[in-house]
Amino acid sequence: MPSQTLLVDFPAVVKSKVLEKLDLFSILKLRKVCYNLRQFIDENPPKFNSCAVEVTTTPGECISINMKSPEIVSLVFRPDGNGCKMEWKVSYKVRKVVVEMGNYIDVFLRELEGIMKYHWRPVLKSFSIQQFEWDVRREVSEELTRIGCVHTDEVVFDGCSLDQIAAFLPFFNSDDLNKIRIEDLFKQEKEDQEDDIRMLNLQKIKQSEQWKNSKHVKIEAWDFYVKIRDFLNFEQVEIKCEMMSVQDIILIKESFLTSSRLDDFSIGLENYHDREQLYASFGFPSLPVDPETQEEEWFFRIPTNEDVLSIRDVPVE
């Protein structure tokens, strides 16, 4: 019986052709087969143009790398005694569990470095930090300190407080960061607080280069009163909040008519009923009011531009 020819024995050009046909998950598994294959793959890394790499840090000392290639592939890292337990998941189902010696962040960084060699650009698609009111983690700062400067196109803060966001933002490279997303903003209670609604104070965050250089921002702050001036440096803005003054809504119009940067501004208000002041400032809507949705829309010509500014008032249920 003739001996079998192993992949590691094929000429380099043949091995490269084989790698081109494999998805990212198969490449990662192949690296674990033997030292020679791992060395060849690392020295001749295939590129995956369609692979979006995301990193998520969640409560319970857990950090994960998520990819879509074409299925959703996740590597989850957790501390396990003196080592790291690493779970391989495909479409959220655990396919393999291994334990490696060393700090779980060090193991994560080693795997992330290998994956980014195959990525079409050395920048993550997204980095997400998830916090919960009942499990506020100090470990996140330690994780970010170990990781160092994070190169990502988007950063997502889920369940974080403003103080935490201000502390975490400097870890992200401001030259690469284009999008800031804040979801389920955690409201820190104060002893002297009397009202449930509080003005959103972004003073610390606004001073960061990350906030100044980003182009897109999306924020959910349902328990806050929001000031528009904090967001006029962005190209695209999406805000969901409790309320906003009519003066700020008018300011949006004035900023659109004069700004060469602002492109899209969307606001969802939980409590806003003062349409009479809108009529006094904008006049009556340009289009008839839709009786079913009560949606209203105004159009304004932008000076020295063929575009037209559209302002739409859509009641939030």
Side-chain angles (χ1 to χ4, degrees), residues 256-271:
F256 257 104
L257 296 178
T258 58
S259 173
S260 59
R261 181 177 175 87
L262 199 57
D263 182 62
D264 185 83
F265 209 118
S266 174
I267 304 171
L269 300 178
E270 181 73 17
N271 291 307

Side-chain angles (χ1 to χ4, degrees), residues 11-16 19 35-45:
V13 63
V14 176
K15 285 187 285 191
S16 295
L19 293 179
Y35 172 79
N36 288 335
L37 275 178
R38 182 171 72 245
Q39 186 179 35
F40 178 82
I41 293 172
D42 290 346
E43 292 177 354
N44 304 274

Side-chain angles (χ1 to χ4, degrees), residues 20-278:
E20 291 175 2
K21 302 297 182 180
L22 300 179
D23 59 26
L24 181 54
F25 185 48
S26 298
I27 293 291
L28 294 176
K29 289 194 296 183
L30 198 59
R31 286 185 73 252
K32 302 292 185 181
V33 172
C34 68
Y35 172 79
N36 288 335
L37 275 178
R38 182 171 72 245
Q39 186 179 35
F40 178 82
I41 293 172
D42 290 346
E43 292 177 354
N44 304 274
K47 298 296 183 180
F48 294 89
N49 292 334
S50 60
C51 178
V53 180
E54 303 177 351
V55 171
T56 302
T57 174
T58 55
E61 289 189 321
C62 173
I63 191 165
S64 61
I65 305 172
N66 310 297
M67 300 154 284
K68 191 173 182 180
S69 176
E71 295 180 287
I72 298 176
V73 179
S74 300
L75 275 69
V76 183
F77 305 84
R78 293 186 176 91
D80 185 73
N82 295 325
C84 167
K85 183 168 73 172
M86 181 170 61
E87 296 178 349
W88 296 62
K89 295 183 178 181
V90 180
S91 298
Y92 306 108
K93 296 181 180 179
V94 178
R95 293 290 181 86
K96 185 177 181 181
V97 178
V98 297
V99 176
E100 297 192 13
M101 296 304 297
N103 182 276
Y104 78 108
I105 294 297
D106 293 334
V107 178
F108 155 77
L109 287 173
R110 185 169 64 245
E111 293 295 325
L112 180 62
E113 181 182 4
I115 290 171
M116 295 307 291
K117 287 182 179 179
Y118 320 133
H119 198 224
W120 69 282
R121 58 192 291 246
V123 177
L124 296 169
K125 176 186 177 183
S126 179
F127 193 106
S128 175
I129 298 177
Q130 298 180 1
Q131 301 269 73
F132 296 105
E133 178 181 348
W134 58 87
D135 187 15
V136 176
R137 297 176 56 212
R138 295 181 180 179
E139 292 89 350
V140 173
S141 295
E142 297 176 6
E143 291 171 357
L144 290 173
T145 300
R146 279 180 173 269
I147 295 171
C149 184
V150 179
H151 298 264
T152 183
D153 183 68
E154 176 188 56
V155 60
V156 181
F157 298 103
D158 187 355
C160 298
S161 68
L162 290 173
D163 287 343
Q164 290 170 335
I165 295 172
F168 296 152
L169 265 179
F171 287 98
F172 298 92
N173 186 284
S174 60
D175 294 332
D176 297 318
L177 189 61
N178 287 310
K179 304 172 186 174
I180 297 176
R181 184 148 50 102
I182 301 174
E183 300 179 349
D184 194 20
L185 184 63
F186 175 49
K187 184 172 67 173
Q188 295 169 295
E189 301 296 336
K190 294 183 178 180
E191 295 181 358
D192 58 349
Q193 182 179 339
E194 298 180 356
D195 300 327
D196 291 335
I197 303 173
R198 185 189 307 162
M199 180 67 72
L200 187 67
N201 185 359
L202 297 173
Q203 191 59 37
K204 293 181 181 178
I205 297 175
K206 284 168 50 180
Q207 296 173 0
S208 69
E209 291 300 317
Q210 289 76 10
W211 184 268
K212 295 176 182 178
N213 291 349
S214 294
K215 297 178 181 178
H216 305 165
V217 65
K218 181 178 180 180
I219 181 169
E220 293 181 4
W222 290 115
D223 294 327
F224 292 86
Y225 193 109
V226 174
K227 295 185 295 185
I228 290 300
R229 294 186 184 276
D230 294 336
F231 301 92
L232 295 181
N233 61 294
F234 293 93
E235 293 181 7
Q236 295 184 8
V237 181
E238 184 176 348
I239 300 174
K240 294 180 180 178
C241 62
E242 178 73 19
M243 63 176 60
M244 183 177 296
S245 69
V246 175
Q247 289 74 19
D248 271 10
I249 295 176
I250 296 172
L251 178 60
I252 296 176
K253 171 196 169 184
E254 296 173 351
S255 300
F256 257 104
L257 296 178
T258 58
S259 173
S260 59
R261 181 177 175 87
L262 199 57
D263 182 62
D264 185 83
F265 209 118
S266 174
I267 304 171
L269 300 178
E270 181 73 17
N271 291 307
Y272 183 79
H273 306 287
D274 202 350
R275 288 192 171 187
E276 294 301 323
Q277 290 195 45
L278 281 182

